Amino acid sequence: MLNDIDHIAIAVRDLEAAISYYKNAFEAEVEHREVISNDLVEEAMVKVGESYVQLLCPTGPDSTVAKFLEKRGEGLHHVGYRVTNCSEALERVKSLGFAVLDENPRPGSRGTTVAFIHPKEAFGTLIELVQV
Ligand code: CMX
Ligand code: CO
């Protein structure tokens, strides 16, 4: 079901500084930027092969990413796996009784359809199912 790693998300305090770091250290370029208002975050997608590093910065104090930065500091926030059918993949996880954060798929950035799975039963890793 997991076709590819779509992105690895890293929570950062200063988006411009993180973009500069990837550019200077690795000559890696931002391919897409977007404010995801539902999640109160701004993303910069840095291209890595066919995948991305999603640099993620809160747009306000109520963002769960702001809470994450406060509690845990900057670092790995979640892994996004590319799936063919987000709804089917989510239903499977739900039918097995694992906790999810989205009962139904919803719009993500770049016109994707996404659903988040709770980290508590996923061995401490927040998972995003991404249908491109
Ligand atoms: N990875 C792993 N564990 C995490 C986590 C993360 N990113 N964020 C929080 N947790 C853990 C906390 O440490 C806490 O663990 P304990 O109970 O052991 O202390 C537990 O999850 C609950 O954390 P919390 O602080 O009480 O809950 P939050 O209100 O911060 O919510 C979460 C956490 C995962 C439910 C929330 O971040 C969420 O719903 N995420 C899905 C949406 C999202 O992340 N959007 C931003 C990205 C958008 C995108 O990529 O497109
Ligand atoms: Co993501």
Side-chain angles (χ1 to χ4, degrees):
M1 274 192 155
L2 308 179
N3 298 335
D4 266 308
I5 291 181
D6 183 77
H7 63 273
I8 307 263
I10 299 172
V12 304
R13 290 202 173 87
D14 182 340
L15 196 56
E16 303 310 324
I19 292 168
S20 292
Y21 172 81
Y22 270 86
K23 194 175 173 54
N24 293 333
F26 309 117
E27 297 182 329
E29 298 286 348
V30 172
E31 193 181 87
H32 178 82
R33 282 185 78 147
E34 188 168 333
V35 172
I36 311 166
S37 34
N38 270 346
D39 291 275
L40 301 172
V41 293
E42 182 173 1
E43 68 170 16
M45 301 299 269
V46 176
K47 191 95 164 116
V48 181
E50 294 302 308
S51 306
Y52 297 93
V53 170
Q54 180 187 37
L55 301 171
L56 207 51
C57 177
T59 55
D62 294 335
S63 166
T64 54
V65 175
K67 199 168 163 189
F68 178 92
L69 286 168
E70 214 171 277
K71 265 176 100 170
R72 297 189 173 204
E74 293 177 305
L76 198 59
H77 185 264
H78 65 268
V79 178
Y81 293 111
R82 226 170 269 152
V83 294
T84 306
N85 186 318
C86 186
S87 176
E88 266 178 35
L90 181 65
E91 282 312 314
R92 181 189 168 91
V93 175
K94 281 167 65 177
S95 72
L96 292 169
F98 296 123
V100 297
L101 292 160
D102 294 302
E103 283 301 320
N104 296 295
R106 61 183 174 94
S109 72
R110 296 170 286 147
T112 59
T113 301
V114 304
F116 282 85
I117 295 175
H118 205 289
K120 75 177 175 191
E121 285 160 345
F123 301 88
T125 304
L126 176 60
I127 292 175
E128 179 180 2
L129 301 172
V130 185
Q131 181 181 336
V132 179

